[in-house]
Amino acid sequence: MKNSILDNMKCAIFDMDGTILDSMTMWHTIADRYLESIGKTPREDLWDNVKRLNMIETAQYFIDEYGVQKTIEEIGVEVEKLIMKYYGTTLELKMGAREFLEKLNKLGISCVLATATERSCVLACMKRLDCEKYFKEIITCLDLNTSKSSPLIFEESARRCGAKPEESVVFEDALHAIRTAHKAGFKVCAVYDTSDEERTEPPLTDWERILEICDTSCTNLMELI
């Protein structure tokens, strides 16, 4: 195990989607699933066209490009119900996530779940998977009116555990969040997800860029046990 990541660690801050939860495929295909549910055939370029849009913009895209005869609000409600269904019934932990959380708990290291996902989805999923018990705190970006382009959620996670950034480790899969945590003085353990092979900033993949800035990395959390 890369034990050095545990040295002087008082607080472990975990992202959820793509880090401990195998959910990125769902996020990458939810637009397709929604359109199919209302009888529309998604085109191959759908993900490329909506991946940087928020919910309102995505709904407008469905209206403009697919002729969806619904309001933005109606589309938003229906998409949210579909997303909740996945969190409440389908999504599973990534390899080694439960075992690593159990290890940290036994070592007395405080764990925080810090996620951009909406709280109702988080709680539905964590309760179903019996994972709430591992976390001292669950904090969402919406709770703080922030995003992971700001270090606020990481700083608040450490504060609630009585830890400084240098005493905390952020476990993340997303390039932009890893950059934020690194710049704010947190140690970062990058957790690989297949979505990291995307080239959002060519010519390198996200994973190649992540490896340039993280303190350590793992293919899956089982490697850290």
Side-chain angles (χ1 to χ4, degrees):
M1 170 189 171
K2 303 172 183 179
N3 278 302
S4 60
I5 198 67
L6 296 179
D7 292 348
N8 302 315
M9 188 201 300
K10 291 184 179 179
C11 175
I13 304 168
F14 286 89
D15 171 56
M16 186 175 73
D17 294 287
T19 299
I20 65 168
L21 192 67
D22 190 8
S23 56
M24 295 313 295
T25 298
M26 181 276 290
W27 280 109
H28 287 190
T29 59
I30 195 68
D32 298 73
R33 298 280 197 276
Y34 174 69
L35 288 174
E36 289 168 352
S37 76
I38 59 172
K40 302 289 185 179
T41 301
R43 297 189 289 268
E44 290 185 3
D45 64 353
L46 178 59
W47 171 242
D48 287 335
N49 289 327
V50 303
K51 63 185 177 183
R52 292 182 177 85
L53 304 183
N54 60 32
M55 181 64 77
I56 293 174
E57 292 167 337
T58 299
Q60 189 62 58
Y61 181 84
F62 290 159
I63 293 169
D64 295 341
E65 298 296 324
Y66 285 86
V68 176
Q69 299 294 308
K70 297 176 185 285
T71 67
I72 287 174
E73 292 75 16
E74 288 170 337
I75 294 171
V77 168
E78 292 174 351
V79 172
E80 286 174 2
K81 285 181 179 178
L82 188 57
I83 291 170
M84 174 61 87
K85 180 179 179 181
Y86 279 100
Y87 280 103
T89 64
T90 304
L91 300 177
E92 298 292 338
L93 294 175
K94 295 181 75 173
M95 181 184 297
R98 187 181 303 277
E99 294 85 350
F100 187 53
L101 287 166
E102 288 177 347
K103 180 185 178 86
L104 294 179
N105 279 196
K106 289 177 181 177
L107 292 173
I109 296 172
S110 296
C111 296
V112 178
L113 190 61
T115 175
T117 301
E118 202 273 332
R119 178 171 287 273
S120 63
C121 292
V122 177
L123 295 180
C125 191
M126 291 295 101
K127 286 179 179 178
R128 175 173 60 83
L129 296 173
D130 191 30
C131 286
E132 274 187 307
K133 62 188 179 185
Y134 298 124
F135 298 103
K136 176 182 175 67
E137 299 276 354
I138 294 177
I139 306 174
T140 75
C141 287
L142 285 174
D143 293 339
L144 303 176
N145 192 29
T146 190
S147 73
K148 288 189 177 179
S149 295
S150 162
L152 178 60
I153 193 168
F154 302 124
E155 292 167 345
E156 180 64 14
S157 296
R159 187 192 68 78
R160 294 190 190 185
C161 293
K164 300 175 182 178
E166 59 268 25
E167 299 170 324
S168 308
V169 178
V170 172
F171 295 84
E172 266 280 0
D173 71 297
L175 175 59
H176 75 285
I178 288 170
R179 280 176 171 159
T180 299
H182 176 73
K183 288 179 181 178
F186 289 85
K187 296 177 184 177
V188 179
C189 178
V191 182
Y192 176 78
D193 189 81
T194 54
S195 62
D196 297 329
E197 291 302 332
E198 196 172 357
R199 285 183 170 82
T200 59
E201 299 177 17
L204 300 181
T205 65
D206 281 9
W207 185 245
E208 289 168 335
R209 293 194 182 280
I210 285 168
L211 292 178
E212 292 178 340
I213 58 176
C214 67
D215 296 281
T216 190
S217 65
C218 61
T219 302
N220 61 72
L221 290 167
M222 191 66 75
E223 296 176 10
L224 304 182
I225 297 169

